[in-house]
Amino acid sequence: MGKRDLALGLWCFLVAVALLIPGDVASADWLADGARLDKIAHFVLFLVLGIFAFRALTGRFEHALLLAVALSVVYGALLEVAQGALGTRSAELGDLAADALGSVCSVFLGHAPRRS
């Protein structure tokens, strides 16, 4: 297991913790626009997840970009199902859409040429 795998695993854990903690703890009611902040948080979490997934899969799979996005979206869907099952959070299609959009946008950042 390399550093990239470890980074991906740690980020997956942090995303799960962030999205599965009870709603009253994670509430953004103190903000005037908590719903928009929630979608932005989902987008950013999955943008970073997609980048970590791409970096971990590069060199192992021919279509690392596509696989990274697909796995990130599936992970987001599973977390939404888990949120609905817990009863302390609710599964939302809008959250999944923000997850998917972040994952897709990660393609552009993850594929950007690196400076030497």
Side-chain angles (χ1 to χ4, degrees):
M1 178 185 270
K3 289 180 183 179
R4 292 178 181 187
D5 296 328
L6 185 60
L8 175 60
L10 180 60
W11 191 255
C12 285
F13 173 75
L14 293 173
V15 168
V17 168
L19 297 183
L20 296 177
I21 58 176
D24 55 341
V25 174
S27 177
D29 291 341
W30 56 274
L31 291 170
D33 201 1
R36 186 174 303 150
L37 180 65
D38 178 55
K39 302 306 179 257
I40 292 169
H42 276 265
F43 174 85
V44 171
L45 287 170
F46 281 82
L47 176 77
V48 174
L49 178 65
I51 292 170
F52 280 143
F54 170 67
R55 299 263 166 100
L57 296 170
T58 297
R60 297 182 189 174
F61 297 95
E62 185 177 342
H63 302 289
L65 279 173
L66 182 60
L67 187 57
V69 170
L71 290 174
S72 297
V73 172
V74 168
Y75 187 60
L78 291 172
L79 288 174
E80 287 302 315
V81 169
Q83 283 181 343
L86 287 176
T88 58
R89 300 287 301 254
S90 62
E92 295 182 23
L93 193 55
D95 288 347
L96 182 57
D99 298 346
L101 185 60
S103 297
V104 168
C105 287
S106 73
V107 167
F108 300 107
L109 293 177
H111 197 281
R114 295 184 204 139
R115 292 182 178 171
S116 302

XYZ file of all heavy atoms in Angstrom:
856
model
N 0.845 -1.173 0.000
C 0.000 0.000 0.000
C 0.890 1.237 0.000
O 1.731 1.410 0.874
C -0.906 -0.012 1.227
C -1.783 1.207 1.329
S -2.759 1.291 2.833
C -4.205 0.439 2.313
N 0.683 2.097 -0.976
C 1.504 3.296 -1.105
C 0.887 4.504 -0.416
O -0.210 4.442 0.149
N 1.592 5.616 -0.494
C 1.130 6.857 0.118
C -0.179 7.333 -0.498
O -1.038 7.858 0.192
C 2.192 7.941 -0.022
C 3.414 7.720 0.830
C 4.403 8.843 0.633
C 5.665 8.585 1.428
N 6.654 9.656 1.231
N -0.321 7.130 -1.804
C -1.556 7.563 -2.477
C -2.748 6.740 -2.016
O -3.838 7.273 -1.850
C -1.396 7.465 -3.988
C -0.400 8.467 -4.524
C -0.215 8.312 -6.002
N 0.766 9.262 -6.479
C 1.038 9.458 -7.741
N 0.427 8.771 -8.663
N 1.945 10.342 -8.091
N -2.532 5.437 -1.801
C -3.611 4.581 -1.305
C -4.007 5.000 0.105
O -5.192 5.047 0.449
C -3.189 3.110 -1.293
C -2.903 2.580 -2.683
O -3.542 3.042 -3.645
O -2.029 1.706 -2.804
N -3.009 5.300 0.914
C -3.259 5.719 2.287
C -4.020 7.042 2.323
O -4.974 7.209 3.092
C -1.937 5.830 3.053
C -2.038 6.133 4.535
C -2.825 5.044 5.259
C -0.648 6.254 5.132
N -3.618 7.973 1.486
C -4.305 9.270 1.419
C -5.757 9.084 0.992
O -6.662 9.698 1.565
C -3.574 10.201 0.455
N -5.988 8.233 0.002
C -7.346 7.969 -0.463
C -8.182 7.324 0.641
O -9.316 7.737 0.895
C -7.327 7.065 -1.701
C -8.690 6.611 -2.232
C -9.553 7.805 -2.625
C -8.503 5.657 -3.402
N -7.628 6.334 1.310
C -8.358 5.660 2.386
C -8.691 6.604 3.527
O -9.813 6.582 4.050
N -7.749 7.448 3.905
C -7.979 8.412 4.972
C -9.056 9.409 4.573
O -9.942 9.739 5.361
C -6.678 9.128 5.328
C -6.768 10.177 6.434
C -7.244 9.554 7.736
C -5.413 10.852 6.630
N -8.996 9.879 3.326
C -10.006 10.841 2.866
C -11.389 10.194 2.821
O -12.372 10.825 3.204
C -9.623 11.438 1.517
C -10.516 12.600 1.182
C -11.534 12.619 0.280
C -10.493 13.896 1.775
N -12.147 13.847 0.290
C -11.521 14.645 1.197
C -9.695 14.487 2.757
C -11.785 15.976 1.553
C -9.954 15.802 3.107
C -10.982 16.528 2.508
N -11.473 8.949 2.374
C -12.760 8.242 2.358
C -13.332 8.149 3.767
O -14.532 8.352 3.980
C -12.608 6.840 1.771
S -12.419 6.807 -0.008
N -12.466 7.848 4.732
C -12.908 7.775 6.127
C -13.426 9.134 6.603
O -14.495 9.226 7.207
C -11.756 7.289 7.013
C -12.074 7.332 8.477
C -12.909 6.379 9.047
C -11.552 8.334 9.282
C -13.224 6.434 10.401
C -11.852 8.393 10.630
C -12.695 7.441 11.197
N -12.672 10.200 6.325
C -13.082 11.537 6.754
C -14.392 11.971 6.097
O -15.239 12.602 6.744
C -11.975 12.545 6.464
C -10.697 12.377 7.287
C -9.614 13.330 6.799
C -10.973 12.579 8.766
N -14.578 11.643 4.833
C -15.824 11.961 4.139
C -16.989 11.227 4.801
O -18.044 11.815 5.061
C -15.734 11.622 2.636
C -17.096 11.680 1.971
C -14.763 12.565 1.934
N -16.799 9.938 5.099
C -17.857 9.167 5.742
C -18.213 9.753 7.105
O -19.402 9.894 7.433
C -17.439 7.700 5.878
N -17.215 10.101 7.882
C -17.480 10.694 9.199
C -18.240 12.005 9.038
O -19.239 12.248 9.721
C -16.166 10.915 9.980
C -16.389 11.777 11.213
C -15.558 9.576 10.379
N -17.786 12.842 8.115
C -18.435 14.138 7.910
C -19.883 14.004 7.467
O -20.744 14.784 7.872
C -17.652 14.951 6.884
N -20.165 12.988 6.649
C -21.514 12.859 6.100
C -22.438 11.982 6.932
O -23.647 11.984 6.704
C -21.445 12.333 4.662
C -20.724 13.238 3.671
C -20.780 12.646 2.279
C -21.292 14.646 3.681
N -21.895 11.243 7.872
C -22.736 10.334 8.647
C -22.943 10.756 10.102
O -23.692 10.100 10.823
C -22.168 8.908 8.600
C -22.149 8.260 7.218
C -21.501 6.886 7.280
C -23.552 8.176 6.627
N -22.293 11.845 10.537
C -22.553 12.293 11.904
C -23.998 12.771 11.985
O -24.571 13.212 10.988
C -21.563 13.388 12.362
C -21.597 14.601 11.449
C -20.167 12.848 12.506
C -20.719 15.743 11.921
N -24.619 12.668 13.156
C -26.034 13.056 13.284
C -26.293 14.474 12.800
O -25.453 15.366 12.946
C -26.298 12.924 14.785
C -25.293 11.931 15.257
C -24.066 12.151 14.395
N -27.467 14.667 12.223
C -27.835 15.952 11.629
C -27.799 17.108 12.598
O -27.455 18.222 12.225
N -28.154 16.888 13.879
C -28.147 17.991 14.829
C -26.726 18.457 15.143
O -26.497 19.606 15.461
C -28.893 17.629 16.105
C -28.372 16.366 16.774
O -27.695 15.570 16.101
O -28.660 16.179 17.972
N -25.753 17.560 15.038
C -24.353 17.924 15.247
C -23.814 18.658 14.022
O -23.070 19.621 14.132
C -23.487 16.674 15.536
C -22.017 17.033 15.612
C -23.960 15.997 16.801
N -24.209 18.202 12.831
C -23.686 18.755 11.577
C -24.545 19.891 11.039
O -24.324 20.363 9.953
C -23.602 17.648 10.526
N -25.508 20.329 11.794
C -26.454 21.324 11.313
C -25.779 22.650 10.995
O -24.909 23.113 11.713
C -27.543 21.543 12.366
O -28.427 22.548 11.934
N -26.220 23.233 9.924
C -25.721 24.558 9.536
C -26.842 25.582 9.702
O -26.905 26.566 8.983
C -25.217 24.524 8.102
N -27.745 25.343 10.661
C -28.872 26.247 10.878
C -28.429 27.648 11.289
O -29.164 28.608 11.137
C -29.812 25.683 11.949
C -30.546 24.448 11.464
O -30.615 24.251 10.233
O -31.042 23.687 12.317
N -27.240 27.771 11.858
C -26.741 29.066 12.287
C -26.406 29.949 11.095
O -26.224 31.141 11.240
C -25.539 28.908 13.208
C -24.432 28.111 12.606
C -24.289 26.758 12.614
C -23.311 28.613 11.875
N -23.150 26.386 11.941
C -22.526 27.501 11.487
C -22.885 29.899 11.530
C -21.357 27.650 10.763
C -21.718 30.032 10.806
C -20.964 28.921 10.433
N -26.362 29.357 9.915
C -26.122 30.138 8.701
C -27.441 30.469 8.032
O -28.403 29.714 8.111
C -25.263 29.347 7.708
C -23.816 29.135 8.130
C -23.157 28.145 7.195
C -23.067 30.442 8.125
N -27.486 31.581 7.378
C -28.712 31.978 6.693
C -29.035 31.029 5.551
O -30.187 30.845 5.201
C -28.580 33.409 6.174
N -28.024 30.431 4.967
C -28.242 29.588 3.791
C -27.544 28.249 3.975
O -26.671 27.874 3.201
C -27.734 30.310 2.545
C -28.370 29.774 1.273
O -29.211 28.860 1.367
O -28.017 30.263 0.200
N -27.950 27.499 5.004
C -27.326 26.219 5.326
C -27.422 25.201 4.213
O -26.510 24.408 4.011
N -28.533 25.197 3.449
C -28.705 24.212 2.379
C -27.658 24.406 1.284
O -27.095 23.440 0.777
C -30.109 24.303 1.792
N -27.382 25.648 0.942
C -26.377 25.917 -0.096
C -24.992 25.530 0.408
O -24.204 24.948 -0.325
C -26.404 27.384 -0.505
C -25.482 27.650 -1.686
C -25.568 29.039 -2.229
N -26.920 29.356 -2.611
C -27.438 30.569 -2.578
N -26.717 31.591 -2.184
N -28.676 30.794 -2.945
N -24.703 25.807 1.664
C -23.416 25.430 2.241
C -23.250 23.910 2.225
O -22.169 23.398 1.950
C -23.282 25.964 3.666
C -21.974 25.621 4.363
C -20.795 26.285 3.655
C -22.018 26.036 5.813
N -24.331 23.189 2.496
C -24.292 21.723 2.473
C -23.904 21.213 1.089
O -23.078 20.314 0.963
C -25.658 21.165 2.888
C -25.704 19.645 2.831
O -24.839 19.004 3.468
O -26.598 19.105 2.154
N -24.478 21.778 0.055
C -24.164 21.340 -1.309
C -22.727 21.691 -1.671
O -22.034 20.910 -2.329
C -25.124 21.967 -2.331
C -26.590 21.666 -2.098
C -26.881 20.192 -1.992
C -28.343 19.928 -1.730
N -28.671 19.579 -0.354
N -22.260 22.849 -1.235
C -20.873 23.240 -1.491
C -19.922 22.278 -0.786
O -18.917 21.856 -1.349
C -20.621 24.704 -1.061
C -21.395 25.645 -1.979
C -19.137 25.031 -1.070
C -21.434 27.091 -1.507
N -20.258 21.906 0.453
C -19.427 20.961 1.205
C -19.365 19.614 0.486
O -18.285 19.022 0.352
C -19.962 20.792 2.620
N -20.508 19.121 0.010
C -20.525 17.853 -0.740
C -19.658 17.965 -1.986
O -18.870 17.069 -2.286
C -21.963 17.486 -1.133
C -22.713 16.768 -0.067
N -22.789 15.396 -0.028
C -23.411 17.223 0.995
C -23.517 15.040 1.021
N -23.904 16.131 1.662
N -19.796 19.072 -2.715
C -19.014 19.280 -3.930
C -17.518 19.230 -3.625
O -16.758 18.524 -4.292
C -19.394 20.623 -4.567
C -18.547 20.991 -5.751
C -18.869 20.521 -7.014
C -17.425 21.791 -5.608
C -18.085 20.843 -8.113
C -16.632 22.120 -6.694
C -16.970 21.647 -7.951
N -17.085 19.972 -2.618
C -15.659 20.049 -2.290
C -15.131 18.705 -1.792
O -14.043 18.262 -2.196
C -15.390 21.167 -1.255
C -13.962 21.115 -0.746
C -15.695 22.524 -1.859
N -15.892 18.035 -0.913
C -15.455 16.729 -0.413
C -15.221 15.746 -1.556
O -14.232 15.011 -1.572
C -16.490 16.148 0.559
C -16.576 16.802 1.934
C -17.791 16.284 2.686
C -15.310 16.569 2.738
N -16.130 15.729 -2.533
C -16.007 14.775 -3.630
C -15.078 15.250 -4.735
O -14.546 14.429 -5.482
C -17.400 14.374 -4.137
C -18.015 13.356 -3.228
C -18.657 13.734 -2.062
C -17.887 12.013 -3.503
C -19.185 12.799 -1.193
C -18.408 11.054 -2.641
C -19.063 11.453 -1.482
N -14.827 16.533 -4.824
C -13.791 17.037 -5.717
C -12.435 16.502 -5.257
O -11.667 15.944 -6.047
C -13.793 18.569 -5.710
C -12.700 19.254 -6.519
C -13.041 19.212 -7.999
C -12.542 20.689 -6.063
N -12.167 16.638 -3.968
C -10.908 16.144 -3.410
C -10.855 14.615 -3.491
O -9.813 14.042 -3.836
C -10.727 16.646 -1.958
C -9.502 16.025 -1.323
C -10.641 18.166 -1.929
N -11.970 13.948 -3.199
C -12.011 12.483 -3.286
C -11.681 12.012 -4.697
O -10.896 11.068 -4.882
C -13.387 11.958 -2.867
C -13.563 10.443 -2.953
C -12.652 9.730 -1.966
C -15.006 10.069 -2.703
N -12.239 12.655 -5.693
C -11.959 12.282 -7.079
C -10.492 12.443 -7.439
O -9.919 11.610 -8.136
N -9.879 13.510 -6.941
C -8.447 13.726 -7.203
C -7.624 12.634 -6.536
O -6.725 12.044 -7.153
C -8.014 15.128 -6.732
C -8.660 16.196 -7.611
C -6.490 15.258 -6.754
C -8.500 17.614 -7.095
N -7.913 12.349 -5.260
C -7.182 11.280 -4.571
C -7.388 9.938 -5.261
O -6.448 9.153 -5.409
C -7.611 11.178 -3.104
C -6.970 12.189 -2.194
C -7.696 12.744 -1.159
C -5.651 12.584 -2.350
C -7.120 13.668 -0.297
C -5.063 13.507 -1.502
C -5.806 14.053 -0.470
N -8.603 9.657 -5.690
C -8.894 8.381 -6.368
C -8.124 8.297 -7.679
O -7.524 7.258 -7.990
C -10.396 8.235 -6.602
N -8.128 9.374 -8.445
C -7.396 9.378 -9.716
C -5.908 9.142 -9.497
O -5.279 8.330 -10.172
C -7.626 10.698 -10.453
C -6.723 10.863 -11.646
C -6.849 10.041 -12.751
C -5.739 11.834 -11.649
C -6.005 10.181 -13.846
C -4.896 11.986 -12.738
C -5.035 11.160 -13.834
N -5.336 9.833 -8.507
C -3.907 9.684 -8.247
C -3.574 8.270 -7.776
O -2.533 7.718 -8.123
C -3.448 10.711 -7.200
C -3.655 12.147 -7.657
C -2.395 12.731 -8.249
N -2.629 13.958 -8.980
C -2.410 15.167 -8.511
N -1.975 15.340 -7.289
N -2.614 16.214 -9.275
N -4.486 7.653 -6.997
C -4.238 6.292 -6.512
C -4.382 5.260 -7.624
O -3.711 4.225 -7.606
C -5.202 5.961 -5.369
N -5.235 5.537 -8.612
C -5.500 4.564 -9.673
C -4.594 4.728 -10.892
O -4.477 3.812 -11.701
C -6.965 4.668 -10.120
C -8.003 4.312 -9.061
C -9.395 4.684 -9.538
C -7.919 2.841 -8.704
N -3.973 5.885 -11.026
C -3.110 6.137 -12.176
C -1.964 5.122 -12.210
O -1.323 4.859 -11.209
C -2.538 7.566 -12.114
O -3.618 8.488 -12.185
C -1.586 7.837 -13.261
N -1.751 4.568 -13.386
C -0.694 3.577 -13.561
C -1.158 2.154 -13.297
O -0.460 1.208 -13.629
N -2.312 1.999 -12.709
C -2.845 0.665 -12.419
C -3.958 0.273 -13.384
O -4.168 -0.897 -13.633
C -3.427 0.615 -11.006
C -2.421 0.841 -9.929
C -3.088 0.720 -8.591
N -2.193 1.144 -7.543
C -2.530 1.249 -6.285
N -3.752 0.951 -5.916
N -1.657 1.637 -5.396
N -4.668 1.277 -13.864
C -5.799 1.026 -14.740
C -5.713 1.943 -15.951
O -5.313 3.105 -15.827
C -7.124 1.267 -14.007
C -7.335 0.342 -12.845
C -6.996 0.719 -11.566
C -7.853 -0.928 -13.052
C -7.175 -0.137 -10.491
C -8.040 -1.790 -11.992
C -7.704 -1.398 -10.711
N -6.125 1.418 -17.078
C -6.049 2.170 -18.321
C -6.935 3.413 -18.283
O -6.566 4.467 -18.767
C -6.461 1.272 -19.493
C -6.303 1.926 -20.833
C -6.656 0.974 -21.965
O -6.699 -0.240 -21.744
O -6.893 1.478 -23.062
N -8.109 3.284 -17.707
C -9.078 4.388 -17.668
C -9.216 4.912 -16.239
O -10.303 4.933 -15.672
C -10.421 3.937 -18.218
C -10.342 3.416 -19.617
N -10.118 4.250 -20.686
C -10.419 2.165 -20.117
C -10.080 3.519 -21.796
N -10.248 2.254 -21.476
N -8.106 5.338 -15.659
C -8.086 5.762 -14.254
C -9.031 6.931 -13.995
O -9.698 6.969 -12.958
C -6.663 6.129 -13.839
N -9.118 7.877 -14.934
C -10.013 9.028 -14.739
C -11.468 8.593 -14.637
O -12.173 8.975 -13.697
C -9.868 10.020 -15.899
C -8.696 10.969 -15.849
C -8.595 11.753 -17.142
C -8.825 11.902 -14.675
N -11.904 7.814 -15.589
C -13.292 7.355 -15.599
C -13.589 6.498 -14.371
O -14.628 6.651 -13.724
C -13.576 6.568 -16.882
C -14.998 6.066 -17.076
C -15.974 7.227 -17.106
C -15.097 5.252 -18.351
N -12.684 5.629 -14.020
C -12.858 4.763 -12.861
C -12.902 5.578 -11.570
O -13.719 5.308 -10.679
C -11.746 3.723 -12.810
C -11.862 2.639 -11.753
C -13.165 1.864 -11.891
C -10.680 1.688 -11.833
N -12.052 6.578 -11.454
C -12.039 7.424 -10.250
C -13.374 8.147 -10.078
O -13.923 8.193 -8.979
C -10.896 8.430 -10.332
N -13.900 8.688 -11.163
C -15.193 9.382 -11.097
C -16.302 8.390 -10.755
O -17.130 8.650 -9.875
C -15.494 10.121 -12.410
C -16.929 10.628 -12.441
C -14.518 11.271 -12.610
N -16.317 7.250 -11.419
C -17.367 6.256 -11.176
C -17.344 5.771 -9.726
O -18.393 5.697 -9.068
C -17.205 5.078 -12.132
N -16.170 5.462 -9.221
C -16.064 4.987 -7.837
C -16.461 6.070 -6.847
O -17.106 5.786 -5.830
C -14.651 4.482 -7.547
C -14.259 3.181 -8.247
C -12.785 2.869 -7.995
C -15.139 2.029 -7.804
N -16.106 7.305 -7.127
C -16.475 8.415 -6.243
C -17.992 8.609 -6.202
O -18.569 8.811 -5.135
C -15.800 9.711 -6.695
O -14.400 9.605 -6.612
N -18.625 8.537 -7.356
C -20.084 8.700 -7.411
C -20.781 7.537 -6.711
O -21.742 7.745 -5.958
C -20.564 8.855 -8.873
C -22.076 8.826 -8.959
C -20.027 10.156 -9.466
N -20.301 6.331 -6.920
C -20.888 5.171 -6.235
C -20.718 5.304 -4.723
O -21.645 5.029 -3.955
C -20.273 3.845 -6.751
C -20.643 2.673 -5.869
C -20.707 3.597 -8.188
N -19.557 5.754 -4.278
C -19.317 5.967 -2.853
C -20.288 7.012 -2.304
O -20.861 6.846 -1.220
C -17.866 6.388 -2.626
C -17.455 6.478 -1.179
C -17.515 5.368 -0.343
C -16.997 7.668 -0.642
C -17.131 5.441 0.983
C -16.597 7.755 0.678
C -16.673 6.645 1.487
O -16.288 6.731 2.800
N -20.500 8.088 -3.060
C -21.467 9.115 -2.655
C -22.873 8.555 -2.545
O -23.607 8.859 -1.592
N -23.262 7.717 -3.498
C -24.595 7.109 -3.459
C -24.737 6.196 -2.242
O -25.773 6.212 -1.556
C -24.850 6.329 -4.748
N -23.708 5.413 -1.954
C -23.753 4.532 -0.785
C -23.855 5.334 0.512
O -24.591 4.942 1.434
C -22.526 3.626 -0.750
C -22.455 2.557 -1.841
C -21.102 1.853 -1.808
C -23.590 1.552 -1.684
N -23.148 6.445 0.584
C -23.230 7.285 1.777
C -24.611 7.928 1.914
O -25.130 8.068 3.029
C -22.133 8.352 1.771
C -20.722 7.840 2.037
C -19.707 8.963 1.865
C -20.625 7.247 3.432
N -25.229 8.293 0.809
C -26.590 8.839 0.870
C -27.572 7.780 1.360
O -28.459 8.068 2.171
C -27.026 9.391 -0.488
C -26.355 10.680 -0.878
C -26.575 11.813 0.122
O -27.723 12.015 0.590
O -25.591 12.501 0.448
N -27.427 6.552 0.886
C -28.283 5.451 1.363
C -28.060 5.243 2.862
O -29.019 5.084 3.628
C -28.006 4.152 0.574
C -28.686 2.957 1.221
C -28.459 4.318 -0.874
N -26.813 5.274 3.290
C -26.496 5.109 4.712
C -27.096 6.244 5.533
O -27.621 6.010 6.632
C -24.982 5.041 4.916
N -27.058 7.467 5.015
C -27.667 8.588 5.727
C -29.161 8.354 5.928
O -29.694 8.596 7.005
C -27.475 9.901 4.956
C -26.112 10.493 5.079
C -25.985 11.809 4.325
O -26.803 12.132 3.459
N -24.953 12.565 4.633
N -29.817 7.884 4.883
C -31.250 7.616 4.984
C -31.560 6.497 5.961
O -32.562 6.530 6.682
N -30.695 5.505 6.018
C -30.917 4.347 6.894
C -30.672 4.686 8.362
O -31.272 4.061 9.245
C -30.014 3.194 6.468
N -29.799 5.645 8.628
C -29.481 5.988 10.013
C -30.644 6.651 10.740
O -30.773 6.518 11.949
C -28.256 6.908 10.073
C -26.922 6.256 9.775
C -25.815 7.297 9.761
C -26.609 5.182 10.798
N -31.441 7.386 10.017
C -32.567 8.059 10.631
C -32.218 9.400 11.267
O -33.101 10.167 11.605
N -30.947 9.682 11.462
C -30.532 10.969 12.028
C -30.152 11.960 10.940
O -29.960 13.137 11.217
C -29.331 10.801 12.982
O -28.247 10.203 12.270
C -29.699 9.942 14.168
N -30.032 11.483 9.732
C -29.750 12.310 8.562
C -30.755 11.913 7.491
O -31.448 10.907 7.608
C -28.331 12.051 8.031
C -27.182 12.320 8.973
C -26.906 13.793 9.204
N -26.595 14.531 8.010
C -25.391 14.960 7.691
N -24.366 14.684 8.450
N -25.199 15.652 6.596
N -30.810 12.681 6.431
C -31.712 12.321 5.337
C -30.923 12.215 4.040
O -29.981 12.965 3.813
C -32.825 13.366 5.190
O -32.275 14.624 4.881
N -31.309 11.243 3.218
C -30.690 11.089 1.904
C -31.332 12.107 0.967
O -32.542 12.261 0.956
C -30.918 9.678 1.389
N -30.500 12.811 0.223
C -31.014 13.825 -0.697
C -30.393 13.654 -2.073
O -29.179 13.481 -2.199
C -30.702 15.228 -0.182
C -31.402 15.587 1.108
C -31.081 17.011 1.547
O -30.701 17.842 0.685
O -31.196 17.284 2.741
N -31.229 13.712 -3.071
C -30.761 13.618 -4.452
C -29.850 14.807 -4.786
O -28.873 14.665 -5.521
C -31.944 13.562 -5.409
C -31.656 13.164 -6.836
C -30.922 11.828 -6.898
C -32.944 13.080 -7.637
N -30.140 15.965 -4.207
C -29.308 17.146 -4.428
C -27.885 16.959 -3.910
O -26.926 17.442 -4.515
N -27.758 16.255 -2.787
C -26.426 15.965 -2.260
C -25.665 15.042 -3.202
O -24.483 15.246 -3.461
C -26.514 15.313 -0.878
C -26.931 16.283 0.209
O -26.923 17.505 -0.035
O -27.264 15.811 1.315
N -26.355 14.029 -3.711
C -25.720 13.107 -4.657
C -25.310 13.844 -5.927
O -24.240 13.589 -6.483
C -26.640 11.929 -4.975
C -26.066 10.888 -5.919
C -24.757 10.311 -5.398
C -27.078 9.772 -6.143
N -26.148 14.778 -6.375
C -25.804 15.567 -7.559
C -24.550 16.410 -7.305
O -23.665 16.507 -8.166
C -26.970 16.460 -7.959
N -24.441 16.998 -6.094
C -23.250 17.778 -5.747
C -22.023 16.876 -5.667
O -20.933 17.259 -6.102
C -23.465 18.513 -4.424
N -22.201 15.651 -5.127
C -21.110 14.678 -5.078
C -20.626 14.355 -6.494
O -19.430 14.353 -6.776
C -21.564 13.373 -4.412
C -21.989 13.539 -2.960
O -21.702 14.596 -2.361
O -22.616 12.604 -2.433
N -21.575 14.069 -7.370
C -21.239 13.698 -8.747
C -20.558 14.851 -9.479
O -19.569 14.648 -10.188
C -22.493 13.253 -9.492
N -21.063 16.064 -9.286
C -20.470 17.226 -9.942
C -19.038 17.452 -9.454
O -18.129 17.724 -10.250
C -21.322 18.472 -9.707
C -20.889 19.733 -10.429
C -20.890 19.531 -11.940
C -21.795 20.889 -10.050
N -18.825 17.315 -8.151
C -17.465 17.443 -7.613
C -16.544 16.384 -8.182
O -15.397 16.666 -8.532
N -17.043 15.158 -8.289
C -16.243 14.055 -8.841
C -15.876 14.318 -10.297
O -14.736 14.092 -10.713
C -17.010 12.736 -8.725
O -17.251 12.415 -7.384
N -16.834 14.791 -11.063
C -16.581 15.076 -12.480
C -15.581 16.226 -12.618
O -14.659 16.164 -13.437
C -17.901 15.377 -13.222
C -17.631 15.952 -14.599
C -18.750 14.119 -13.319
N -15.732 17.254 -11.803
C -14.795 18.389 -11.870
C -13.386 17.984 -11.451
O -12.414 18.590 -11.900
C -15.297 19.542 -11.006
S -16.725 20.375 -11.741
N -13.277 16.952 -10.632
C -11.951 16.492 -10.214
C -11.137 15.989 -11.392
O -9.905 16.003 -11.355
C -12.070 15.395 -9.152
O -12.521 14.176 -9.725
N -11.829 15.564 -12.445
C -11.141 15.098 -13.652
C -10.247 16.207 -14.198
O -9.104 15.971 -14.565
C -12.172 14.659 -14.720
C -11.513 14.486 -16.073
C -12.877 13.396 -14.290
N -10.758 17.422 -14.195
C -9.998 18.537 -14.757
C -8.816 18.905 -13.875
O -7.744 19.229 -14.371
C -10.916 19.735 -14.976
C -12.039 19.426 -15.911
C -13.333 19.271 -15.438
C -11.805 19.245 -17.262
C -14.368 18.971 -16.295
C -12.832 18.933 -18.136
C -14.121 18.796 -17.651
N -8.993 18.844 -12.565
C -7.892 19.169 -11.658
C -6.905 18.018 -11.537
O -5.703 18.227 -11.473
C -8.433 19.534 -10.278
C -9.234 20.824 -10.211
C -9.783 21.041 -8.801
C -8.377 22.003 -10.616
N -7.415 16.794 -11.503
C -6.559 15.633 -11.350
C -5.745 15.337 -12.590
O -4.668 14.747 -12.508
N -6.240 15.735 -13.727
C -5.555 15.464 -14.994
C -4.654 16.624 -15.412
O -3.920 16.521 -16.382
C -6.589 15.185 -16.094
C -6.013 14.520 -17.289
N -5.315 15.193 -18.246
C -6.000 13.235 -17.691
C -4.919 14.366 -19.207
N -5.316 13.183 -18.885
N -4.709 17.708 -14.649
C -3.875 18.873 -15.002
C -2.405 18.488 -14.928
O -1.988 17.758 -14.036
C -4.167 20.025 -14.041
N -1.628 18.958 -15.875
C -0.201 18.628 -15.853
C 0.464 19.167 -14.581
O 0.150 20.255 -14.137
C 0.356 19.304 -17.103
C -0.684 20.224 -17.593
C -1.988 19.824 -16.961
N 1.369 18.384 -14.040
C 2.073 18.782 -12.830
C 3.372 19.490 -13.198
O 4.015 19.148 -14.178
C 2.387 17.556 -11.970
C 1.164 16.900 -11.455
C 1.573 15.766 -10.526
N 0.471 14.822 -10.506
C 0.606 13.530 -10.527
N 1.792 12.992 -10.575
N -0.431 12.744 -10.490
N 3.728 20.445 -12.365
C 5.012 21.131 -12.576
C 6.135 20.264 -12.074
O 6.017 19.580 -11.078
C 5.017 22.456 -11.825
C 4.061 23.442 -12.394
C 4.157 24.738 -11.640
N 3.245 25.701 -12.235
C 2.974 26.846 -11.710
N 3.513 27.205 -10.567
N 2.151 27.668 -12.297
N 7.242 20.321 -12.736
C 8.401 19.515 -12.329
C 9.195 20.195 -11.237
O 9.327 21.338 -11.153
C 9.317 19.258 -13.510
O 8.605 18.614 -14.523
